[in-house]
Amino acid sequence: MPVINRVAEFHKELTEIRQDIHAHPELGFNEHRTAALVAEKLKSYGVDEIVTGIGKTGVVAVIKGQQNKSGKTIGLRADMDALPIHEILGHEYKSQNEGVMHACGHDGHTTILLGAAKYLAETRNFDGTAVMIFQPAEEGGGGGNEMVKDGMMERFGIDEVYGLHNSPGTDTNHIHARTGPLMAAADFFEIEIIGKGAHAAHPDHGIDPIIVGTDLVQAFQRIVSRNVDPLKSIVVSVTTFHCGTADNVIEQTAKLSGTVRTLDMDVRDFAERRMQEICNGIAQLHGAKINLNYQKEYPVTINHPEQTKFALDVAKKVVGEDRVKDDIEPVMGAEDFSFMLLARPGAYVFLGQGDTPNCHHPEYDFNDEIIPTGSSFMVKLIEEGMPLS
């Protein structure tokens, strides 16, 4: 069961769609043109229902199978938003929106799902209902959560949900995943340090927020090296540190920010608690005031065992058993498909796109050659998951 012949026939058309979306990138919750294009294509494919405005700018389409004896509904998800990055490649479909580009392949993900929708609407060789989910604002906006909060799962009766992401550096048309934690939780923090300003020649008259801040940075790293089980992953990165405007002044305040990544919910909770304890202790040590604003953003992306095995079994039929891995290491990047996997059982997989620049790089471009494979995989999740009797 390799790439579906009919899907392969769509390749040129789908490539043109992908490149059009690439040329008109839109940031999270502003995917108005993209959402309109998706809805227009879905209408032309003859799907049974199209609903816009779910999760603000999301689009959902319903395709009914030849039968509905199973009463089952499977959701397939793609993200639509772009990133605030200046594209430096000069291809003819280069971004026409200065400072915004599809640097993570969401243009490709959207196109893959459109290809699957076109084929499924034509053939309907399944027993149940397929729901196509075109999600906004994956890049930091939590669009997946917004769609869940809008009642999408209940409204469309979704029983299981699946998604994929292109994988630079992974061989073209290989499919990889794992059961359990696949991608990390992403939390973010902002810290304000209030010390006491002074002349730089008299540091004893002040409370130096730079010294306080450097103590914080060092202490946070000991959460990783001394407080958490070394067999459990955690990253604590302080990524900004702003203080001072003159070389002869000890500033009164400083601001730091950064991110925490974890693969375990208990470790995630501990990290937040420990950072607050460290802030309290260092503030007391220096006589400063430290305000910590800790925001839990995306949860851990956790693949469900039964659905992951099913997805990878389907993958083996599409790309071949030798091109499928079921035991890859988790990655510390985050993904808001995690919200959908908290709401319903399902799985998320990586689709190899070859030796290309990594995601979020200004020279990144989605590999159009993997579109038929991605669309065929999505189709077979529906046909194999809800087979005709």
Side-chain angles (χ1 to χ4, degrees):
M1 190 194 297
V3 167
I4 299 167
N5 289 337
R6 180 63 176 141
V7 171
E9 292 174 6
F10 304 157
H11 193 187
K12 183 175 183 297
E13 172 191 343
L14 293 173
T15 297
E16 290 172 354
I17 292 171
R18 202 285 296 181
Q19 293 180 1
D20 178 72
I21 296 172
H22 186 93
H24 301 90
E26 297 169 301
L27 297 176
F29 298 127
N30 288 289
E31 308 94 334
H32 302 294
R33 181 188 186 278
T34 307
L37 173 66
V38 166
E40 175 190 343
K41 294 298 181 183
L42 291 168
K43 183 178 180 181
S44 72
Y45 299 159
V47 304
D48 297 291
E49 182 182 3
I50 302 169
V51 181
T52 60
I54 296 181
K56 300 182 181 179
T57 48
V59 180
V60 176
V62 176
I63 304 171
K64 297 177 181 178
Q66 291 181 24
Q67 300 174 351
N68 192 24
K69 296 177 183 178
S70 71
K72 186 176 180 178
T73 299
I74 293 178
L76 304 176
R77 174 266 200 180
D79 37 18
M80 300 188 294
D81 59 320
L83 283 156
I85 296 175
H86 174 74
E87 185 169 14
I88 62 177
L89 290 179
H91 42 54
E92 60 185 15
Y93 53 88
K94 180 180 179 180
S95 171
Q96 296 178 23
N97 187 356
E98 182 64 30
V100 181
M101 72 169 285
H102 273 291
C104 202
H106 298 185
D107 49 348
H109 303 163
T110 297
T111 303
I112 283 171
L113 191 53
L114 283 173
K118 180 171 184 176
Y119 180 86
L120 290 168
E122 277 188 6
T123 59
R124 301 178 186 264
N125 291 325
F126 58 96
D127 175 14
T129 303
V131 176
M132 310 287 108
I133 303 165
F134 296 88
Q135 182 207 300
E138 189 280 326
E139 299 290 356
N145 193 33
E146 292 300 318
M147 297 188 89
V148 171
K149 290 194 299 184
D150 263 1
M152 177 184 69
M153 299 298 184
E154 295 79 12
R155 177 173 180 176
F156 297 98
I158 296 170
D159 298 304
E160 298 177 3
V161 64
Y162 297 88
L164 64 76
H165 200 292
N166 73 95
S167 180
T170 300
D171 289 343
T172 304
N173 293 323
H174 286 226
I175 294 178
H176 296 173
R178 74 188 306 271
T179 294
L182 177 71
M183 301 182 72
D187 299 335
F188 298 89
F189 60 87
E190 295 177 342
I191 294 173
E192 180 187 33
I193 301 168
I194 303 173
K196 182 180 178 182
H199 194 291
H202 296 283
D204 53 309
H205 295 170
I207 299 172
D208 189 343
I210 291 180
I211 298 299
V212 177
T214 55
D215 277 359
L216 282 178
V217 173
Q218 294 296 322
F220 288 162
Q221 296 314 305
R222 287 191 284 276
I223 298 174
V224 178
S225 66
R226 289 295 178 268
N227 295 147
V228 172
D229 184 337
L231 298 179
K232 295 183 177 180
S233 299
I234 178 171
V235 173
V236 181
S237 293
V238 178
T239 55
T240 71
F241 192 145
H242 299 289
C243 184
T245 57
D247 56 11
N248 61 349
V249 175
I250 291 176
E251 187 58 68
Q252 176 116 338
T253 63
K255 291 185 177 181
L256 288 71
S257 65
T259 185
V260 177
R261 304 298 173 104
T262 53
L263 292 166
D264 181 281
M265 293 182 182
D266 290 337
V267 173
R268 186 187 195 193
D269 291 338
F270 171 78
E272 178 184 12
R273 184 170 68 253
R274 186 61 177 151
M275 287 181 71
Q276 185 63 68
E277 292 170 350
I278 288 171
C279 287
N280 293 344
I282 289 179
Q284 184 176 11
L285 174 67
H286 290 278
K289 183 177 180 181
I290 300 176
N291 299 317
L292 170 65
N293 178 20
Y294 192 101
Q295 297 292 327
K296 287 185 173 178
E297 296 289 339
Y298 294 176
V300 182
T301 302
I302 301 175
N303 276 341
H304 298 250
E306 180 182 341
Q307 287 72 29
T308 304
K309 182 181 184 303
F310 164 69
L312 292 174
D313 285 344
V314 169
K316 291 172 185 177
K317 295 177 180 179
V318 175
V319 302
E321 190 165 349
D322 61 331
R323 294 186 173 193
V324 176
K325 287 186 178 180
D326 63 2
D327 60 351
I328 62 170
E329 292 296 320
V331 297
M332 300 309 287
E335 165 60 61
D336 80 342
F337 187 63
S338 54
F339 289 108
M340 296 190 188
L341 289 176
L342 286 177
R344 292 294 185 273
Y348 196 60
V349 307
F350 295 123
L351 173 61
Q353 84 148 22
D355 184 16
T356 68
N358 215 335
C359 294
H360 296 211
H361 190 282
E363 291 185 332
Y364 170 89
D365 189 23
F366 185 84
N367 182 356
D368 291 319
E369 295 306 310
I370 69 174
I371 292 173
T373 300
S375 295
S376 296
F377 172 69
M378 290 292 206
V379 166
K380 289 304 176 182
L381 287 172
I382 299 298
E383 293 184 345
E384 296 281 307
M386 299 181 291
L388 288 170
S389 57

